[in-house]
Amino acid sequence: MSSVDVSDNPAVNALRGLLDLLAGDAPAEDFGGPAARAREAGADPAEQAVIAEATQTALDIRRILRQSRRREKELAALFDTAGDLAALRNLDAVLRAIVHRARTLLGTDVAYLTMNDPEAGDTFMRVTDGSASAAFQQLRLGMGEGLGGLVAQTARPYATRDYRTDTRFKHTPTIDHGVGEEGLRGILGVPLRIGPRVIGVLYAADRAPRDFGPDAVALLSSLADHAAVAIDNARLLEETRAALVELNAATETARAHSEAMRRAAEVHDRLTELVLRGGDVTEVATEIAALLDGGLVVHDADGLELARVGADPVTPPGQGVAASRASGQAVPVDGTWIYAVLAGPELLGSMALTGRADLTDSDRRLFERAGLVTALLLLLRRSVAEAEDRVRGELLGDLLTGGSTDSLTLRARRLGVNLTRPHAVLVLSCDASRRPRLVAEATRRARALGGLAGLHQGNAVLLTPTDTPGELARVLSAELGAALGAPVTTGAAGPTTDLPAAYDEATRCVRALHTLGRAGEGADLPALGFLGVLLGDRADVRGYVERVLGPVLDYDRRRGTELVRTLDAYYAHGASLARAKDALHVHVNTVVQRLDRVQQLLGDDWNTPARALENQLALRLHRLLGAEGPPAASPGPDR
């Protein structure tokens, strides 16, 4: 077998050249050389395409390798920084090392660090590296002022290509003078944080405009994280040195702290085990009451008692709950310790510890730790309740639209609902913005009544066994209206086993209440008199309206006139032409002409007592049905 000499192959030589360039970390512009030489050596178009693709791949590999080397260098620098900072004990030395390393890592002209002053409510310049301006080195920034004040206030990093022209920041004469004297343009600032608390801001800045990319922000933020820990450690060390003046006191403090840590670990393990084995709020309350040797009462966010151990009933003080919520700590109120149970900013409930007016710091922390576990249990409880509400809502929708009776009965039985008993259907109406709250309140009432609640076809609906749906509707309208702070109108139907029909009847009842001007009330159709009887019988209401007012309605639809509106105003104002014309904002002759047209369409007896009653009933039903107004048309002679 003869071997093939590829040394003269332009494509092979080009590929070898690309590999050599990669191995030598050549500049990017050199990577076009192999392709050019291959073309000169006579490479055909196919080979040139392969070489072009290989060149692009080589450039991608070169970029990835450079990124990897840069990241490796940055990581090494961060590790070195962590080691340097760990070896430092003097706070000033720590801060100088931080700022110098920030300037070195980002290659900027200046780096500096400001520290927050909680008493003054501002942030002040503490250390600079590369700065030449005395005014700049003595700057103080109010919270929200300049780039640094905004970082200190929001705890978020900010960068600007050119601070002088950047309108995102609140410029002040003092800050602009200091920055201008230093000649700074491009600035990057990141927060120094201990937990959720911002203690200062770390900056890197250039005297020329500069864009700081995500990598620079991430790098300076990583250094800031190391720096914050080092600053806090240095601060703690200084405090410890001051505390060790009295050796005996320090030893006792350490012993007490160790004991508190051991006890906290024990409590943590016991509470964790309790949660993992499915314990509830009462069991947590029992455990904490025994540990703290006091009484404990747990309430939900609405003040409803969830658990009580070894204590009399307690009403959670609103002021105490608000103070605990704001501070994130337990607060004493008249000899009772109150702790707001939170999930982030959301208030889930509160805990009240009685019988321990002299609560120590370690016991207070145990009490607060119990609050965290309670928050977890309440979140789990809410998740379960929300899942159950979804299931109940789906069942409610299926019941109101009809479905397999056996399947629905089985599903209802699993949720504790007995469909063999007649149920009433209540449709609740309120302002659209309050509808989610209305559904939540209706769901709570439904659980207490042994029924179901949820949204159906955009309406809040409650299904419950009751023999007095009208009375229940009146009660719910009053109670839910008070809870929402807005009118709640409730229509009821039943009790019956034909739930879809009952839903339709309850919906008609709500519409009738609104039409009759009784919004905010609750009733069933029998309570609405003859109108309720007519609607409840499910008569052909629309056909009735057409039979009584059909010629007038057709005339309005065809000609765009307002005969129906005029007739309605005439009856509504006691058959007075003068009051009707004022309500319609037309001349009295116009009203007379329109009524003459009505007489032509309905007959000479249109205004006799019997016909007038029918006309008024038909007009009300027309409004109840939500009939659309006449289409737009050119005004006719009767308009």
Side-chain angles (χ1 to χ4, degrees):
M1 180 182 296
S2 61
S3 60
V4 179
D5 185 7
V6 296
S7 60
D8 294 330
N9 188 310
V12 172
N13 291 334
L15 294 177
R16 285 176 177 169
L18 290 172
L19 292 175
D20 291 339
L21 291 172
L22 280 174
D25 193 22
E29 55 269 19
D30 292 352
F31 280 71
R37 289 192 291 273
R39 285 194 300 270
E40 294 173 357
D44 58 39
E47 289 175 330
Q48 292 182 32
V50 171
I51 294 169
E53 183 178 356
T55 300
Q56 184 58 50
T57 302
L59 287 170
D60 291 341
I61 294 172
R62 176 184 178 277
R63 177 178 52 81
I64 293 171
L65 288 173
R66 281 179 167 266
Q67 289 178 346
S68 298
R69 284 194 292 270
R70 177 173 54 80
R71 289 172 181 166
E72 182 179 355
K73 181 179 178 182
E74 290 174 354
L75 286 175
L78 286 174
F79 281 123
D80 291 343
T81 299
D84 292 345
L85 295 177
L88 295 172
R89 291 295 179 264
N90 179 272
L91 181 58
D92 289 332
V94 170
L95 298 181
R96 286 194 296 271
I98 290 167
V99 173
H100 179 72
R101 189 58 61 95
R103 181 185 177 196
T104 302
L105 287 177
L106 273 77
T108 55
D109 297 327
V110 180
Y112 51 101
L113 183 147
T114 60
M115 297 290 291
N116 288 2
D117 186 342
E119 294 183 1
D122 62 6
T123 180
F124 62 94
M125 193 72 69
R126 180 65 183 272
V127 179
T128 64
D129 191 88
S131 170
S133 167
F136 180 77
Q137 295 168 15
Q138 297 173 8
L139 273 179
R140 295 188 75 99
L141 295 76
M143 289 298 178
E145 294 180 355
L147 183 146
L150 190 59
V151 174
Q153 182 183 59
T154 63
R156 296 174 57 189
Y158 279 91
T160 176
R161 186 176 189 277
D162 190 347
Y163 178 78
R164 297 181 185 178
T165 61
D166 200 328
T167 60
R168 292 177 299 161
F169 308 107
K170 183 180 179 181
H171 290 259
T172 67
T174 302
I175 297 174
D176 287 352
H177 171 69
V179 172
E181 187 172 291
E182 190 63 58
L184 299 183
R185 306 290 291 276
I187 305 175
L188 168 63
V190 299
L192 298 174
R193 287 183 290 194
I194 302 296
R197 183 168 57 94
V198 177
I199 64 172
V201 180
L202 181 61
Y203 307 80
D206 265 352
R207 293 191 174 92
R210 173 172 173 176
D211 291 316
F212 291 94
D215 289 343
V217 176
L219 180 58
L220 193 60
S221 296
S222 297
L223 180 58
D225 291 338
H226 286 293
V229 173
I231 292 171
D232 198 46
N233 286 341
R235 179 185 59 81
L236 291 174
L237 184 58
E238 290 181 353
E239 292 175 356
T240 302
R241 284 171 176 165
L244 288 176
V245 174
E246 296 291 339
L247 182 58
N248 291 335
T251 302
E252 180 60 27
T253 300
R255 188 201 64 77
H257 181 70
S258 176
E259 176 62 22
M261 291 293 291
R262 183 195 62 78
R263 190 179 180 205
E266 262 185 26
V267 171
H268 177 77
D269 292 342
R270 290 164 68 176
L271 293 180
T272 301
E273 180 185 0
L274 190 152
V275 172
L276 291 177
R277 63 180 173 81
D280 58 16
V281 176
T282 300
E283 291 180 83
V284 171
T286 302
E287 190 77 22
I288 295 303
L291 284 168
L292 297 178
D293 192 23
L296 196 69
V297 186
V298 182
H299 297 90
D300 66 9
D302 296 323
L304 179 67
E305 184 179 293
L306 301 178
R308 178 160 51 90
V309 179
D312 294 329
V314 174
T315 300
Q319 191 173 14
V321 173
S324 175
R325 183 179 186 181
S327 65
Q329 297 179 335
V331 297
V333 179
D334 297 331
T336 298
W337 285 86
I338 304 297
Y339 184 65
V341 180
L342 303 173
E346 181 183 1
L347 179 67
L348 301 179
S350 64
M351 299 171 60
L353 179 66
T354 64
R356 284 297 308 274
D358 58 341
L359 201 63
T360 63
D361 287 345
S362 60
D363 283 350
R364 178 179 57 81
R365 285 191 290 271
L366 289 180
F367 181 44
E368 293 168 353
R369 185 183 293 267
L372 297 178
V373 175
T374 302
L376 174 61
L377 290 177
L378 292 180
L379 283 174
L380 292 174
R381 172 181 170 177
R382 185 172 69 180
S383 298
V384 171
E386 289 175 348
E388 182 178 335
D389 288 344
R390 284 195 297 271
V391 173
R392 286 175 172 270
E394 292 171 359
L395 173 61
L396 177 65
D398 292 341
L399 288 172
L400 298 182
T401 55
S404 171
T405 304
D406 293 338
S407 172
L408 293 177
T409 301
L410 179 61
R411 288 166 57 191
R413 188 181 300 121
R414 291 172 180 168
L415 295 175
V417 178
N418 183 6
L419 291 181
T420 61
R421 298 174 55 189
H423 281 62
V425 176
L426 295 92
V427 175
L428 305 101
S429 170
C430 70
D431 182 77
S433 63
R434 290 180 168 86
R435 191 172 298 148
R437 174 78 187 280
L438 175 61
V439 173
E441 291 292 336
T443 301
R444 181 178 301 180
R445 299 299 198 285
R447 290 198 194 99
L449 295 170
L452 302 171
L455 272 177
H456 181 66
Q457 296 178 350
N459 295 319
V461 183
L462 189 149
L463 174 70
T464 183
T466 180
D467 295 326
T468 56
E471 178 61 26
L472 179 59
R474 285 188 288 276
V475 171
L476 286 179
S477 284
E479 292 182 352
L480 296 179
L484 269 65
V488 174
T489 308
T490 306
T496 179
T497 56
D498 188 354
L499 300 180
Y503 170 73
D504 292 340
E505 183 173 318
T507 303
R508 290 196 301 274
C509 184
V510 169
R511 293 171 59 192
L513 286 169
H514 282 290
T515 301
L516 295 173
R518 294 174 57 181
E521 299 183 19
D524 53 6
L525 286 180
L528 301 183
F530 71 89
L531 184 59
V533 173
L534 178 60
L535 293 175
D537 288 339
R538 293 187 291 280
D540 183 8
V541 178
R542 195 175 298 278
Y544 175 81
V545 173
E546 288 292 333
R547 285 195 300 275
V548 176
L549 298 176
V552 178
L553 294 171
D554 289 340
Y555 194 90
D556 275 354
R557 283 193 288 263
R558 285 185 288 103
R559 296 175 176 260
T561 55
E562 295 186 341
L563 298 184
V564 171
R565 180 167 172 256
T566 301
L567 189 59
D568 199 7
Y570 174 71
Y571 284 130
H573 292 84
S576 169
L577 296 174
R579 290 201 296 272
K581 64 96 174 174
D582 290 339
L584 295 169
H585 304 292
V586 298
H587 194 274
V588 67
N589 290 339
T590 303
V591 178
V592 172
Q593 292 173 7
R594 292 179 181 178
L595 293 179
D596 286 343
R597 178 64 66 184
V598 170
Q599 181 176 348
Q600 295 176 19
L601 294 170
L602 298 183
D604 293 339
D605 62 342
W606 71 277
N607 204 22
T608 61
R611 287 292 301 277
L613 177 61
E614 278 196 317
N615 291 340
Q616 292 178 62
L617 175 60
L619 286 168
R620 287 209 171 191
L621 291 175
H622 179 62
R623 291 200 307 272
L624 180 63
L625 292 172
E628 298 179 355
S634 300
D638 300 305
R639 189 167 177 84

